[in-house]
Amino acid sequence: MSNPVFFVDPGSLEALGEGDVVTVRGTEGRHAATVKRLAPGEPVDLVDGCGVRGRGRVARAEGDLLAVVLNSVEREPRPPYRLVLVQALAKGDRDELAAEAATELGADAVIPWQAERSIVRWKGERGAKSLAKWRAVVSAAAKQSRRAWVPEVEEAHDDAALTARIAAASLAVVLHEEAVESLSSVLDHFSAGESPFEGEVLFLVGPEGGISAAELDRFVSAGAKLALLAPHVLRSSTAGPAALAIAGDRLGRWPAKN
């Protein structure tokens, strides 16, 4: 079983090594001591959210304090390309569920998208609170899935910003029920090109009402490809994570262990 993970400040592990003691306080320390009830000697990982992981054992855990003696400090490199979920804002918590599952399945970034047919609108204080909630959900999912990198949750994009992002991407895929080519086929053709490929691979998921014809035209003109994800229609909360699972396999993110 993998070790429980606790967050530390970015950069705080960089100069440390075997035998150093790291003290974690506040919410993370309290979670370790009072929720997980860790005892001295138990193995834990400390991550800074920016790719650095410290492996060690608990020296002390009480109140809101966790002290860990490090065995090693490792840097996990970023992949040469980024998998990015572009998730249209949706009613209820379906968009948050998509961001959460996408994090567990390896997304490197999540972009909230204010689509034409999105019922939910992010404006002013509500928008700021919603963005903060997405970031908290993604951070918790990264912790639960033991990731050393916490995916970035960017500011919400409108159609103009998203069109520019598509034009700059290595590959942008609109998941659409009327597409002819399968997502697996699109990814196979992409990965068969120049290697190693770099940049961003975007997966666009529309709102409950679907992506408008005008949006599709703009995105395709900017270079996006349409892809069929499944023979039936998936909810907005499941389409993105399903695409990332397929990408993890087709693009070599999930190689079999020896």
Side-chain angles (χ1 to χ4, degrees):
M1 183 175 178
S2 57
N3 298 338
V5 162
F6 298 94
F7 289 133
V8 296
D9 293 335
S12 61
L13 299 172
E14 292 280 2
L16 303 181
E18 183 179 1
D20 287 325
V21 177
V22 179
T23 300
V24 183
R25 293 185 178 273
T27 302
E28 289 295 275
R30 186 176 301 107
H31 184 223
T34 65
V35 178
K36 300 292 287 186
R37 296 183 181 276
L38 295 180
E42 292 192 68
V44 296
D45 286 2
L46 303 178
V47 302
D48 70 352
C50 297
V52 180
R53 182 187 301 270
R55 300 185 186 275
R57 292 190 176 276
V58 175
R60 180 183 171 197
E62 56 185 40
D64 68 346
L65 181 146
L66 170 67
V68 176
V69 180
L70 295 175
N71 296 328
S72 64
V73 176
E74 308 160 3
R75 169 165 285 281
E76 299 180 11
R78 281 189 183 277
Y81 60 93
R82 300 207 312 162
L83 297 180
V84 181
L85 172 63
V86 180
Q87 178 67 46
L89 303 184
K91 63 184 179 181
D93 60 354
R94 288 177 184 168
D95 46 14
E96 293 172 15
L97 289 172
E100 178 181 54
T103 300
E104 296 174 10
L105 290 163
D108 298 301
V110 178
I111 299 176
W113 169 31
Q114 187 74 71
E116 286 183 10
R117 294 177 177 171
S118 289
I119 297 173
V120 174
R121 294 282 152 181
W122 281 13
K123 293 182 179 179
E125 184 178 350
R126 177 181 179 178
K129 288 183 177 179
S130 297
L131 179 60
K133 188 174 182 182
W134 276 43
R135 286 173 173 166
V137 165
V138 164
S139 179
K143 180 177 180 179
Q144 187 277 331
S145 52
R146 315 308 202 246
R147 293 186 61 173
W149 290 95
V150 176
E152 178 185 6
V153 180
E154 302 186 22
E155 297 284 340
H157 282 36
D158 59 15
D159 281 353
L162 183 53
T163 301
R165 194 65 170 267
I166 290 169
S170 296
L171 175 67
V173 182
V174 179
L175 304 174
H176 200 273
E177 61 189 274
E178 296 180 3
V180 175
E181 190 173 8
S182 71
L183 177 58
S184 294
S185 176
V186 170
L187 293 174
D188 287 346
H189 289 155
F190 171 66
S191 61
E194 293 185 10
S195 182
F197 47 88
E198 299 178 346
E200 290 188 330
V201 179
L202 308 179
F203 297 99
L204 281 68
V205 178
E208 299 94 327
I211 301 172
S212 73
E215 286 174 322
L216 276 181
D217 287 343
R218 284 195 293 271
F219 297 160
V220 171
S221 295
K225 297 184 179 297
L226 303 187
L228 184 65
L229 183 59
H232 44 270
V233 178
L234 302 183
R235 287 184 180 271
S236 58
S237 58
T238 54
L244 285 162
I246 294 172
D249 177 55
R250 295 290 180 168
L251 300 182
R253 283 290 186 93
W254 294 353
K257 291 185 177 180
N258 294 327

